[in-house]
Amino acid sequence: MVMPASAVAVPESGVPGSMGDVRRSNLSLVLGRIAEAPPGVHPSRAQVAAATRLTKASVSSLVLDLLEAGLLREVGLNQQGRGRPSVGLELNPARSVMGMEINVDYISAGVTDLAGNLLVRETQERDNRSGGHVPVLAALAGLAAKVRAAAGDGGVQVLGGGLAVPGLVEPAAARVLTAPNLGWTNVDLDLGALLPDVPLGVELFNEANAAALAELRHRPDGASDFVFVSGEVGVGGGLVVGSELFTGPGGHAGEVGHVVVDPEGVRCSCGGTGCLETVSGQDAILAAAGIAAGSRTRSESIEALVQALHEGQPRALSAVERAGQYLGVALASTARVMNVGSLVLGGHFAVLDPWLRAPLLDSLERYAPGRFAPEQVGLSAVGQAGALLGAAGSVVRSLVDAPHRLQY
């Protein structure tokens, strides 16, 4: 299921305004109804007409456009009562979008079909903090080409993509305003170079917001109000309220990693002092645990930390306990302001949950007593692929909202 189609059908005659606008609205409505069908359910034209309150003739015409655009395909036969079986409709599995992510110490690219199923994914560990953005984009373009070719070998066409970056972004200008942990400020990205010759282009997203959207779609508990917090080298956050991502008027709400938790603490990459990131970010925890990066990769460093925790090494236990306590301070404050119903942990917070959970829950109870039961603090449903899946899913939602962006 991609998204609910909540719009009301607009008759294609007798309505003021452009007939083209009306048809575009109804194209979105029809595509949305088919996209929201559960897996294995293939609605017929008649069923779509009944659900949207459009005429059968209008739906047949709209479906024809969507078939010609390659967004739908006909499948099987649906038995409707005692009458003649009808042809079912589904999102075309041969059409897809690509999600991409740049983080501090890795890049990633993956292709999902229009229903959100991850078809192929590649991750490459690399240090993105030196050399500026140009070599990072070049490396990601190479990785994206590899993943796109793999999808193509399976007969799947990539229509467009989304890129998630750990920083404040201006999507309309394809600009990263600031990504402190990457060392980027007011960087304009050549997004077209990542996926040349795709009809939908490439859209830009904040990494934590994209991951929060992926959580919203995939969470088994169906939570509609939560704070998502992801631990990487930095700490990202996304706010979901009423099943919608809340980003604030400037689009930059949810910066949980830069909530001040220790006013007398150390300087943060953002320029502030005592941010959550300075005590609960990946680098901060590893340093406090006495685990030097050296020649280790990101995953090797986390594995070394987990091994130290299993062995009961005091420095490692103390570092994670401190991180959990301060994470609780930040989330207690955020939850009081936003009045959300649950908390979702991703990144290294999820990996470290066996040791992080007790100090986190103690801290939440101390600073927000009675606010969260243990079962209201959950782990990510999508893991490290969250930002990638969220970016790809957002592109699909944009396509469902405006299928006319593809030429018929």
Side-chain angles (χ1 to χ4, degrees), residues 237-250:
L239 304 175
V240 173
V241 180
S243 296
E244 298 287 342
L245 182 68
F246 177 79
T247 60

Side-chain angles (χ1 to χ4, degrees), residues 24-379:
R24 284 191 288 270
S25 176
N26 287 338
L27 276 169
S28 173
L29 183 62
V30 168
L31 183 59
R33 286 296 178 183
I34 296 167
E36 71 175 349
V41 175
H42 307 116
S44 67
R45 290 166 174 78
Q47 290 169 328
V48 172
T52 59
R53 290 180 284 174
L54 290 167
T55 66
K56 292 181 181 179
S58 291
V59 168
S60 292
S61 175
L62 295 164
V63 165
L64 180 61
D65 279 353
L66 294 169
L67 288 168
E68 291 179 352
L71 294 177
L72 296 180
R73 79 169 181 178
E74 296 178 321
V75 57
L77 293 174
N78 288 333
Q79 181 67 48
Q80 298 183 21
R82 297 164 62 183
R84 185 172 60 185
S86 60
V87 176
L89 299 164
E90 69 173 3
L91 296 174
N92 188 351
R95 299 295 181 268
S96 68
V97 296
M98 183 180 293
M100 294 166 281
E101 181 185 3
I102 294 172
N103 218 300
V104 175
D105 48 9
Y106 67 87
I107 55 176
S108 186
V111 170
T112 74
D113 63 20
L114 299 183
N117 301 304
L118 187 60
L119 306 178
V120 57
R121 175 184 171 221
E122 292 279 349
T123 297
Q124 177 184 325
E125 294 196 351
R126 68 187 310 277
D127 185 355
N128 296 320
R129 286 176 280 196
S130 60
H133 70 283
V134 174
V136 178
L137 267 289
L140 182 58
L143 188 65
K146 179 181 178 182
V147 171
R148 186 178 180 182
D153 289 344
V156 176
Q157 177 188 358
V158 176
L159 300 177
L163 170 62
V165 176
L168 303 182
V169 299
E170 188 178 331
R175 179 175 298 128
V176 178
L177 300 176
T178 176
N181 290 308
L182 289 172
W184 296 1
T185 302
N186 291 325
V187 171
D188 293 321
L189 304 180
D190 182 6
L191 298 179
L194 296 175
L195 283 178
D197 304 319
V198 292
L200 299 180
V202 177
E203 301 176 28
L204 182 63
F205 302 93
N206 168 268
E207 165 262 339
N209 284 343
L213 286 172
E215 291 296 331
L216 176 63
R217 177 178 179 187
H218 292 279
R219 289 214 62 73
D221 57 10
S224 60
D225 301 278
F226 59 86
V227 176
F228 170 76
V229 56
S230 179
E232 301 287 347
V233 171
V235 176
L239 304 175
V240 173
V241 180
S243 296
E244 298 287 342
L245 182 68
F246 177 79
T247 60
H252 302 150
E255 289 292 297
V256 177
H258 298 290
V259 171
V260 177
V261 295
D262 183 6
E264 304 303 319
V266 301
R267 193 81 165 168
C268 180
S269 62
C270 73
T273 298
C275 297
L276 174 65
E277 192 170 285
T278 65
V279 287
S280 298
Q282 186 179 112
D283 285 354
I285 296 174
L286 291 172
I291 298 175
S295 60
R296 289 191 181 102
T297 64
R298 172 185 58 89
S299 58
E300 289 170 344
S301 295
I302 292 298
E303 287 173 6
L305 175 61
V306 170
Q307 181 62 35
L309 292 166
H310 277 298
E311 293 172 357
Q313 294 183 21
R315 286 190 66 180
L317 293 170
S318 176
V320 173
E321 180 180 6
R322 181 168 178 259
Q325 290 172 345
Y326 280 112
L327 178 60
V329 173
L331 292 179
S333 300
T334 303
R336 284 191 181 278
V337 171
M338 296 305 300
N339 192 33
V340 293
S342 59
L343 308 173
V344 180
L345 308 181
H348 67 251
F349 295 135
V351 174
L352 300 176
D353 180 66
W355 304 274
L356 185 89
R357 177 166 289 265
L360 170 59
L361 292 176
D362 288 345
S363 185
L364 286 170
E365 185 58 26
R366 179 177 181 182
Y367 298 108
R371 184 68 183 78
F372 292 103
E375 59 270 19
Q376 292 174 287
V377 181
L379 303 183

